[in-house]
Amino acid sequence: AGIETVIIHPLNFMELGFIGTEEYHFEKNMEFFSALTPLARELGVKIGIENLWHNSPLTNNIYGVTCADPKEHVRYVTSLNAPDVFVACLDVGHSALVDRKPEDVIRALGGDILGALHIHDVDYKTDLHTAPFQGKLNWDEICRALGEINYRGVLTFEADSFLSKLPDELVPDGIRFMAKTGKYLADKVDSYRK
C-alpha cells in the first residue's frame, strides 16, 4: 500500500484488568515489538509506538498508561535497538488528556525519536478526535515545537469525529477543509525550523 509507518498501540494490560508492574508491561511490550522487527524490515515499514491513556472504570477519570510519560516513550523506542524500524508516534490529543502539553512532549521526544503524529483537537477532558482549531490545543506552540526539533514525519489526521458529524453532502468540503488545515500546519512548522 506504500505506507511508510504503521502505528501500533503498545500492549496495555490495564484495559485487560491486569495491573502488574511497570516493568512487567515493559518486558511484555519488548517481546511483542521485537517479534515484529524482522517483518517490518522485510517490508521496509517503520512502526510507530503510540502514547496511551485509560479511563478509570470506577471514577471515569482519565490517566496516562503505557508511553504517556515521554521518558517512558523514549525508553520503549530506544530499548528496541532498531532505529530503522521503531519511532514514537505522538497522539497530541492523548498527551493533552493526561495533563501534558503536546508541545512539551514533542520537545522531550526530540527529532530522532518522534517519527509520526496523530493530529486532532481535544478539550482536555474528552478524546474528541476533531479537527485542529475546534478544541483547546495551542496549535501555534505545537508547530513551533515541531519546527524546533526539525520534525521530518507526516501530520496524520485522526479527526474522524469532525467528518462523521457532517451531513453526507458536506463531507467532501470537510475533507478539503482538513487538507487545507494540514497544509497550513505544515507551512507553520516549516516557518519555525532552525
Side-chain angles (χ1 to χ4, degrees), residues 99-116:
D99 291 331
R100 296 181 192 283
K101 291 181 180 179
E103 56 269 27
D104 293 342
V105 178
I106 289 165
R107 290 181 181 105
L109 293 173
D112 293 332
I113 300 292
L114 183 59

Side-chain angles (χ1 to χ4, degrees), residues 21-122:
T21 65
E22 187 175 310
E23 202 56 32
Y24 175 83
H25 292 210
F26 175 77
E27 292 301 325
K28 289 299 179 188
N29 272 294
M30 291 301 100
E31 290 172 22
F32 170 69
F33 284 113
S34 293
L36 299 175
T37 304
L39 181 60
R41 280 193 175 122
E42 179 185 327
L43 298 174
V45 173
K46 288 191 179 260
I47 296 173
I49 301 173
E50 187 173 350
N51 55 313
L52 301 180
W53 61 272
H54 186 69
N55 268 73
S56 166
L58 297 175
T59 64
N60 204 34
N61 291 337
I62 292 174
Y63 58 93
V65 289
T66 314
C67 295
D69 182 307
K71 289 179 185 170
E72 181 183 46
H73 209 166
V74 168
R75 180 182 182 214
Y76 268 60
V77 173
T78 59
S79 293
L80 288 159
N81 293 317
D84 60 317
V85 174
F86 294 101
V87 296
C89 171
L90 177 65
D91 185 306
V92 296
H94 291 180
S95 64
L97 290 174
V98 298
D99 291 331
R100 296 181 192 283
K101 291 181 180 179
E103 56 269 27
D104 293 342
V105 178
I106 289 165
R107 290 181 181 105
L109 293 173
D112 293 332
I113 300 292
L114 183 59
L117 292 168
H118 278 173
I119 298 292
H120 60 103
D121 216 331
V122 297

Side-chain angles (χ1 to χ4, degrees), residues 164-185:
S164 68
K165 292 178 183 171
L166 297 176
D168 289 346
E169 298 81 13
L170 293 179
V171 169
D173 291 324
I175 291 170
R176 281 190 284 278
F177 169 75
M178 286 180 46
K180 192 171 183 178
T181 301
K183 174 83 170 93
Y184 172 84
L185 293 173

